Amino acid sequence: MASGPLSRGEALQLAGCRHACHLMLYCDTHRQLFGRIPIRHIILMQMRFDGLLGFPGGFVDLSKETLEEGLVRELSEELGVAVPVSVDHHVESRYATRPSSPRLITHFYVKKMTEEQILEVEKASVCTAKDHGQEVLGMVRVPLYSTKGGGGLSMFLSHSFIGNARSQLLDTLRHLNMVSPEELQQALQTSLKTQQESREKLQAELTAIEREPEEPTA
């Protein structure tokens, strides 16, 4: 099965597939972390119910709604506020990288908002969103900066993402020039190192647990 990008039209012509739409909301900002580190852009993602990072959105039923109508419905449930989305916001469609769902096509949208609108979305996602605390455990911002201790974007990228979400984020950062190629390369290199260190720590924790004597039964 092909794994490369599809046009929106090509994706809609494929038979026997399920469709899921997700949206990246972002804005520009002049805010600074600690008054000295430029934040530059605010990008919203979410911590999902399964502990993975992803973008707001979900499954769409094409027998009842268009891709954009389904996405707006899902956004209302997860963000607690109406966010208009049109075909113009569509970026790409592709097969999902989920072995359990080989016939799932993901559609990715990107929309720029004002900082005030982003703040309203964040507020509504906690106060009025139907899915808050259930399917969505909370909205998070993507840190696009790097700190001296290796924190920021590199640490964020070392977390686990659902499906195509990490690739969608990285592609958008490149295409919109939100970070330089050099910054992105350095962040990925540091992230790989962090993941290796985390793997070694997890292995040590697992080994320690396996060596613990079993509790005597009553």
Side-chain angles (χ1 to χ4, degrees):
M1 182 176 295
S3 58
L6 305 164
S7 71
R8 183 177 180 279
E10 290 172 335
L12 291 174
Q13 291 175 2
L14 295 172
C17 293
R18 301 177 71 195
H19 298 263
C21 296
H22 296 87
L23 173 69
M24 182 183 118
L25 293 172
Y26 79 97
C27 72
D28 301 328
T29 182
H30 296 294
R31 296 173 184 255
Q32 293 185 327
L33 177 66
F34 306 131
R36 56 184 175 80
I37 302 176
I39 294 176
R40 296 182 289 188
H41 310 281
I42 298 174
I43 299 174
L44 297 186
M45 296 190 73
Q46 60 183 202
M47 177 63 72
R48 294 160 39 94
F49 67 94
D50 52 13
L52 299 174
L53 290 169
F55 290 102
F59 288 104
V60 173
D61 185 351
L62 291 181
S63 68
K64 300 179 181 179
E65 56 194 359
T66 66
L67 291 174
E68 291 71 35
E69 288 171 344
L71 176 55
V72 169
R73 172 183 52 75
E74 285 287 337
L75 294 175
S76 178
E77 295 172 359
E78 296 184 359
L79 302 179
V81 64
V83 178
V85 180
S86 71
V87 176
D88 293 337
H89 297 117
H90 180 268
V91 173
E92 70 160 26
S93 300
R94 66 171 61 230
Y95 282 106
T97 56
R98 295 167 63 178
S100 60
S101 303
R103 300 294 295 180
L104 173 63
I105 296 177
T106 59
H107 305 268
F108 188 55
Y109 296 73
V110 175
K111 180 172 183 175
K112 186 175 184 179
M113 306 180 81
T114 65
E115 186 167 356
E116 291 72 22
Q117 289 172 323
I118 288 289
L119 294 176
E120 285 299 316
V121 168
E122 290 181 310
K123 180 179 178 181
S125 69
V126 175
C127 298
T128 62
K130 171 185 174 184
D131 290 342
H132 177 70
Q134 298 183 64
E135 292 185 26
V136 180
L137 301 184
M139 302 300 297
V140 297
R141 295 185 180 190
V142 180
L144 299 183
Y145 47 81
S146 297
T147 65
K148 291 182 179 179
L153 181 58
S154 61
M155 193 64 69
F156 188 85
L157 293 175
S158 69
H159 295 303
S160 296
F161 292 70
I162 182 68
N164 300 326
R166 184 191 280 109
S167 295
Q168 290 167 340
L169 172 62
L170 293 173
D171 288 344
T172 305
L173 292 180
R174 289 198 300 268
H175 293 159
L176 295 183
N177 297 314
M178 290 182 165
V179 296
S180 69
E182 294 77 18
E183 288 177 299
L184 201 54
Q185 182 180 22
Q186 181 60 49
L188 288 168
Q189 290 174 342
T190 304
S191 180
L192 283 170
K193 181 179 178 181
T194 299
Q195 286 186 325
Q196 179 59 37
E197 292 173 350
S198 295
R199 184 179 184 279
E200 293 172 357
K201 291 178 181 178
L202 286 171
Q203 183 61 56
E205 294 287 354
L206 176 60
T207 301
I209 291 175
E210 291 174 339
R211 289 176 177 174
E212 289 182 357
E214 293 185 7
E215 293 287 338
T217 56

